[in-house]
Amino acid sequence: MEIQWGQPVVLIAPKDGNIEHICTIEKARYWLRRKWPVSDGARTTALAQVESAMDCMSPVEDARRAFLVAATSAGFAPGAAM
């Protein structure tokens, strides 16, 4: 079962301009763990928030906010949702 977290988060990669749509909390977790370009405090916080929300210990909105902060910190530009 995937957990939808509202409107997809659209990210534009800093180096190659690739566009990624993050539609579920599971995909956010995968990206933070496997595809994130930097390992900094914002990423660590976002990963903790995402995993907490997946365990129903905190609101999904908090995880989404932390993910967006981490994306900005990593150099991703926001894209428009389709």
Side-chain angles (χ1 to χ4, degrees), residues 1-39:
M1 181 169 116
E2 292 185 333
I3 301 170
Q4 301 296 320
W5 67 347
Q7 189 79 336
V9 173
V10 181
L11 301 176
I12 302 170
K15 291 186 180 181
D16 56 18
N18 284 340
I19 298 172
E20 188 63 41
H21 294 77
I22 309 295
C23 302
T24 66
I25 199 165
E26 291 82 5
K27 189 169 184 179
R29 180 177 182 250
Y30 171 78
W31 267 74
L32 286 164
R33 293 183 78 205
R34 304 283 186 212
K35 295 193 154 222
W36 217 245
V38 298
S39 183

Side-chain angles (χ1 to χ4, degrees), residues 11-76:
L11 301 176
I12 302 170
K15 291 186 180 181
D16 56 18
N18 284 340
I19 298 172
E20 188 63 41
H21 294 77
I22 309 295
C23 302
T24 66
I25 199 165
E26 291 82 5
K27 189 169 184 179
R29 180 177 182 250
Y30 171 78
W31 267 74
L32 286 164
R33 293 183 78 205
R34 304 283 186 212
K35 295 193 154 222
W36 217 245
V38 298
S39 183
D40 61 4
R43 177 192 167 269
T44 301
T45 299
L47 186 55
Q49 285 290 329
V50 164
E51 290 179 344
S52 178
M54 289 176 76
D55 291 337
C56 299
M57 300 301 290
S58 63
V60 173
E61 295 82 18
D62 291 351
R64 182 183 175 95
R65 249 182 259 112
F67 183 82
L68 291 170
V69 168
T72 301
S73 176
F76 287 98

